[in-house]
Amino acid sequence: MKIQHNVSLKTYNTFGIEALATLFSRFSSVEELTSLLSQKKEKALFVLGGGSNILLTKNIDALVLRNEIKGIELVSQEKEELILKVGAGEVWHDFVLFCVNQGYAGVENLSLIPGSVGAGPMQNIGAYGVEIKNVIEKVEALHIETMKLHTFSNADCEFAYRESIFKRTLKGQYIITCVYFKLSTNTNVNTSYGAIESELNAWGIAKAGIKDVSNAVIAIRQSKLPDPKQIGNAGSFFKNPVIPKILFEHIKEQHPAVPSFPAEEGFVKVPAGWLIEQAGWKGKTFGNYGVHKNQALVLVNYGGASGKEIWDLSSQIVADIYRKFGVELEREVNVY
Ligand code: FAD
Ligand code: NAP
């Protein structure tokens, strides 16, 4: 719990970008967190999980606090339904593997997402047809000003596509300390996402279980996504835009192959990766950074790039996609 000065954050963000934290510490309980907050009340605060959804464009003149609250506790179990209380500092994928090994269904489609459990509700992490909001019972978070714990029901969290109340209205006001998950011992799994189905078919698995789905997701992800341990990145840099149908029809006239997925009435979801690839950015390299060669949605740092360079590249992509398709891409990554 010692507070350190001028700490390099390079190994604390998966982009591998160099930036200094004026003050840095870790906490592994709510008591340690409140003690740290009381010591540095005047200082700006930055909560860090696994650093897999941030882009650091400058030094962080704040008290950077790494969340290391651990623990997985079975709170209740009734028939097929169970509630687990999980410390926000648990590693997300370790928690998923715990559930898979116990036969608890609900999070297997979210295998191999980097980062911490506590950051999951922040942007309502999602992949392969499932979002964390599907399995969250409630979230406990500490209010930074009052230092009081507050419980948010699933509805209170105002989850939306890669969004929540913590990323919007309450941004910077709360630190998530634990998450309660509602899981099931019923092994009905969700294999509706095309890539999962194809992978399971290729393995000759007709009736998939929780472990099969998790293994399929892990295999697909490992084949498509750059491993941050080898190439710095923060996953999808942009959200998939949800655009008015009329704009979609206009794009389709020029690009009949444009893929789309259903969204709310009058709107269509278009993969941002497809737009970026069509615009010719996929695989483009500028010295030590660029756009990944297999996945145009992922910006990469091959080593030594600055956050400002990655930010400028993302701005060029946003402007180009707007010029070519009339679509305004929104960044998913939290930029500091
Ligand atoms: P950090 O990057 O540490 O923090 C992210 C934001 O949340 C910051 O603003 C931080 O201040 C805040 N924050 C962190 N912890 C807390 C807390 N306890 N309380 C309050 N605020 C907090 N995301 C998906 O949704 N789906 C994917 O499939 C996916 N795949 C990815 C693949 C790769 C290779 C990578 C690198 C990233 C991927 N991501 C994906 C993005 C990222 O993994 C998730 O957003 C993850 O939840 C971030 O967790 P983290 O602990 O690393 O958060
Ligand atoms: P993909 O399977 O190549 O599909 C491209 C995009 O089309 C996806 O982003 C997805 O949107 C959408 N899509 C595909 N099939 C869909 C379906 N049946 N229903 C609704 N939407 C569909 O995508 P990918 O890049 O390999 O990623 C696979 C999954 O992992 C996606 O869910 C993606 O979000 C997730 N992922 C997220 C990150 C991140 O950092 N956020 C990084 C890597 C992967 P959605 O994104 O809305 O699902």
Side-chain angles (χ1 to χ4, degrees):
M1 258 188 68
K2 211 174 86 199
I3 297 181
Q4 298 166 272
H5 293 254
N6 296 322
V7 172
S8 166
L9 295 174
K10 192 171 177 180
T11 56
Y12 293 104
N13 71 97
T14 60
F15 254 126
I17 281 166
E18 182 58 279
L20 291 181
T22 310
L23 300 173
F24 180 91
S25 193
R26 309 157 189 275
F27 60 94
S28 50
S29 67
V30 173
E31 292 70 31
E32 286 186 2
L33 172 59
T34 48
S35 159
L36 283 163
L37 292 178
S38 325
Q39 286 176 53
K40 292 286 169 195
K41 251 194 162 335
E42 76 290 353
K43 201 77 193 150
L45 206 72
F46 182 113
V47 195
L48 192 59
S52 63
N53 201 18
I54 55 172
L55 175 69
L56 303 174
T57 60
K58 55 183 183 307
N59 289 336
I60 305 296
D61 184 20
L63 169 60
V64 176
L65 291 179
R66 185 133 200 277
N67 189 336
E68 296 183 355
I69 299 180
K70 301 282 185 193
I72 303 179
E73 188 189 319
L74 179 62
V75 176
S76 66
Q77 183 159 14
E78 207 174 312
K79 294 189 182 143
E80 289 180 341
E81 190 181 287
L82 59 111
I83 304 286
L84 289 182
K85 177 184 178 186
V86 185
E90 285 285 346
V91 172
W92 173 261
H93 182 59
D94 291 351
F95 165 60
V96 171
L97 290 183
F98 169 85
C99 295
V100 168
N101 290 329
Q102 295 290 322
Y104 300 159
V107 287
E108 56 281 357
N109 294 47
L110 303 176
S111 296
L112 214 60
I113 297 181
S116 59
V117 165
M122 279 293 293
Q123 75 147 1
N124 181 24
I125 53 169
Y128 298 96
V130 171
E131 291 177 318
I132 198 173
K133 74 167 186 188
N134 303 135
V135 286
I136 283 185
E137 169 78 358
K138 58 185 178 180
V139 170
E140 252 172 44
L142 189 88
H143 190 256
I144 291 168
E145 280 298 311
T146 63
M147 289 204 255
K148 289 218 163 74
L149 276 177
H150 187 89
T151 301
F152 294 83
S153 70
N154 184 306
D156 293 339
C157 295
E158 295 180 9
F159 290 123
Y161 172 62
R162 303 291 187 269
E163 282 291 352
S164 75
I165 195 164
F166 305 107
K167 207 173 169 181
R168 284 194 309 262
T169 338
L170 300 181
K171 194 175 164 70
Q173 294 183 36
Y174 283 89
I175 299 174
I176 295 171
T177 53
C178 74
V179 184
Y180 288 76
F181 293 91
K182 190 194 276 187
L183 303 172
S184 170
T185 52
N186 181 320
T187 52
N188 280 342
V189 288
N190 175 350
T191 56
S192 60
Y193 202 93
I196 298 185
E197 229 169 11
S198 320
E199 193 72 17
L200 292 170
N201 284 341
W203 292 349
I205 297 174
K207 175 107 186 60
I210 303 168
K211 205 164 202 150
D212 299 319
V213 172
S214 173
N215 286 339
V217 169
I218 291 171
I220 301 163
R221 295 185 74 105
Q222 284 175 335
S223 71
K224 287 179 88 168
L225 284 167
D227 178 353
K229 288 198 190 97
Q230 275 146 28
I231 305 176
N233 76 90
S236 305
F237 200 90
F238 304 98
K239 292 182 188 176
N240 290 314
V242 174
I243 61 172
K245 263 197 176 131
I246 190 156
L247 174 57
F248 176 72
E249 293 306 334
H250 179 68
I251 296 172
K252 204 170 172 175
E253 275 169 24
Q254 265 116 55
H255 306 273
V258 57
S260 68
F261 296 97
E264 62 262 38
E265 184 65 27
F267 291 83
V268 176
K269 182 171 77 177
V270 177
W274 186 90
L275 296 170
I276 298 168
E277 186 174 347
Q278 290 302 305
W281 289 95
K282 190 174 177 180
K284 275 209 170 170
T285 301
F286 306 88
N288 48 7
Y289 62 96
V291 180
H292 192 250
K293 62 179 184 347
N294 298 333
Q295 174 50 285
L297 208 45
V298 179
L299 304 189
V300 288
N301 170 17
Y302 293 106
S306 70
K308 170 82 170 49
E309 285 171 320
I310 306 268
W311 167 261
D312 288 346
L313 171 60
S314 75
S315 300
Q316 285 179 50
I317 294 173
V318 169
D320 194 41
I321 298 303
Y322 188 71
R323 206 166 34 241
K324 290 183 171 141
F325 300 100
V327 174
E328 186 140 16
L329 290 182
E330 200 185 325
R331 292 171 183 85
E332 180 178 307
V333 169
N334 299 278
V335 180
Y336 293 93

